Amino acid sequence: IVFLSHAFLCMSQCISGDCENGNGIYVFGDGGRYEGHFSNGEPDGNGKLIYKSGDLYHGSFVHGKYHGEGKYVYVNGGSCEGTFSEGNFVQGVMTDPDGGKGTGQFRDDLLFGIGEYQMSNGELYKGDFENGNFNGKGSYEFINGDKYLGEFKNGKMHGNGVLNFQKGGTLKGTWINGEYVSGPSEDNSKDIKFTEQSGVLIIKVLINGVPVDMIFDTGASMLNLTPDILLPAFRNGTITEDDILGGGDFVDATGAVNMNVIVNIREIRVGDKTLQNVKAAVANSMDGMNLFGLSGIRKLGNFEIDFKKNLIVTK
């Protein structure tokens, strides 16, 4: 926020003190005012800027911009208190008009990196942020005392986690968009466990957070997924029309499934590896086979198969 943007308003004037190099009060034509220290005609040092809207900033200025420690108070009741740089709030505490409070680093007035956010009802999230949303690993404490530890995406529990109940007991497994969907499907080990059935290797995979048993198939050019695996992903928004890479619409106007579609799977978890943007084809029938083909296998990098321990050992 650049102070000098006001300087050209008509009827602006210094009404008290030294508004060039000293302490003074400067009134703008729109009714706003600055009270504090000036240097070369600009706010520089400690001061207070009151806008016509009723918003108020008091703290440190450098060359006409908020810079250093300060506090911005909005007329609607929200505030930002902490460190400003070149007119932008970068670190501290942001309070919402409804009483919610975020603490950490800010970019474009949104939390990012590691921080915490306390809801107005007292519930508390601590962990990773991206664009102001809970994104990554963190913890969420509910008002009733329950506590979730695990993965989040777009502000919701999404991925692997553990819900500890205040009255005792735990729920461990996989969440999608805030909803519990299944028990634990993998152990996060570097090596991928498999079972051998009728001469094929079966591995456990998370497709956009959904656990799926798949055949590890080096003879398939890409992942092959049955429609019943992909349909819920379309319905809950983890796969969208933007993820269709070829072959037309996945579901036509009658609700029929197109078996010739190639889709982009945004995220696949195998062991401790996260694979992003993997091509997959739709299987020919609901009772077809889910194949983990070369489009996913290549992203694993180098590996060896240990048939004695039933492990795919990644490098």
Side-chain angles (χ1 to χ4, degrees):
I1 302 173
V2 181
F3 171 83
L4 289 180
S5 63
H6 292 279
F8 299 100
L9 296 173
C10 61
M11 304 299 292
S12 300
Q13 60 180 320
C14 182
I15 63 171
S16 177
D18 183 353
C19 298
E20 284 296 320
N21 292 286
N23 292 309
I25 300 175
Y26 193 94
V27 176
F28 304 105
D30 67 353
R33 61 192 283 147
Y34 171 77
E35 304 174 4
H37 191 267
F38 290 81
S39 179
N40 296 321
E42 296 179 327
D44 200 273
N46 289 322
K48 178 168 66 175
L49 180 58
I50 306 169
Y51 288 96
K52 178 184 177 180
S53 65
D55 289 357
L56 164 69
Y57 171 83
H58 59 88
S60 178
F61 290 80
V62 174
H63 299 309
K65 297 180 181 179
Y66 315 149
H67 194 90
E69 298 302 304
K71 183 176 183 178
Y72 192 104
V73 180
Y74 296 91
V75 69
N76 64 7
S79 66
C80 301
E81 184 172 9
T83 304
F84 292 77
S85 177
E86 296 289 323
N88 298 306
F89 183 56
V90 295
Q91 187 168 355
V93 179
M94 179 180 286
T95 303
D96 299 331
D98 65 359
K101 185 179 294 184
T103 304
Q105 300 179 75
F106 292 82
R107 182 182 293 155
D108 297 327
D109 291 336
L110 297 173
L111 277 163
F112 77 97
I114 297 176
E116 65 179 62
Y117 185 83
Q118 184 169 35
M119 270 53 67
S120 57
N121 65 359
E123 294 184 342
L124 177 65
Y125 170 82
K126 295 181 180 180
D128 296 326
F129 285 84
E130 184 178 334
N131 295 325
N133 280 325
F134 314 155
N135 241 49
K137 294 183 178 180
S139 66
Y140 193 100
E141 298 177 25
F142 293 88
I143 192 68
N144 64 0
D146 295 348
K147 185 174 183 179
Y148 170 84
L149 299 171
E151 297 175 312
F152 291 80
K153 187 174 183 180
N154 296 329
K156 297 180 180 180
M157 298 180 292
H158 189 95
N160 294 324
V162 179
L163 181 60
N164 296 292
F165 297 102
Q166 188 270 336
K167 294 182 179 180
T170 61
L171 181 65
K172 183 177 181 181
T174 302
W175 275 258
I176 295 179
N177 291 330
E179 299 292 331
Y180 179 78
V181 295
S182 72
S185 61
E186 48 86 21
D187 59 6
N188 278 331
S189 63
K190 181 178 179 180
D191 301 330
I192 303 166
K193 295 180 180 179
F194 67 81
T195 59
E196 192 170 355
Q197 300 176 16
S198 302
V200 298
L201 309 186
I202 308 296
I203 63 173
K204 291 187 178 294
V205 178
L206 285 176
I207 304 290
N208 285 346
V210 178
V212 181
D213 287 341
M214 302 190 72
I215 296 173
F216 192 83
D217 189 353
T218 58
S221 62
M222 67 178 71
L223 267 68
N224 199 53
L225 297 172
T226 54
D228 61 310
I229 298 297
L230 293 177
L231 274 171
F234 270 92
R235 290 173 181 144
N236 65 30
T238 54
I239 294 179
T240 68
E241 294 299 326
D242 292 336
D243 295 311
I244 302 295
L245 302 180
D249 295 329
F250 179 69
V251 180
D252 65 20
T254 68
V257 176
N258 181 355
M259 302 299 185
N260 300 309
V261 172
I262 304 298
V263 299
N264 176 62
I265 305 298
R266 300 180 200 173
E267 182 178 288
I268 296 177
R269 290 284 298 273
V270 187
D272 71 340
K273 293 184 179 295
T274 299
L275 315 180
Q276 295 180 329
N277 298 320
V278 181
K279 287 184 179 180
V282 180
N284 291 326
S285 67
M286 290 289 186
D287 58 357
M289 295 183 292
N290 292 303
L291 306 179
F292 191 83
L294 290 177
S295 60
I297 291 173
R298 286 193 181 98
K299 290 180 178 285
L300 292 177
N302 295 328
F303 63 87
E304 295 178 353
I305 299 178
D306 187 335
F307 286 98
K308 291 183 178 180
K309 297 181 179 179
N310 282 10
L311 293 176
I312 298 170
V313 182
T314 58
K315 305 298 183 181

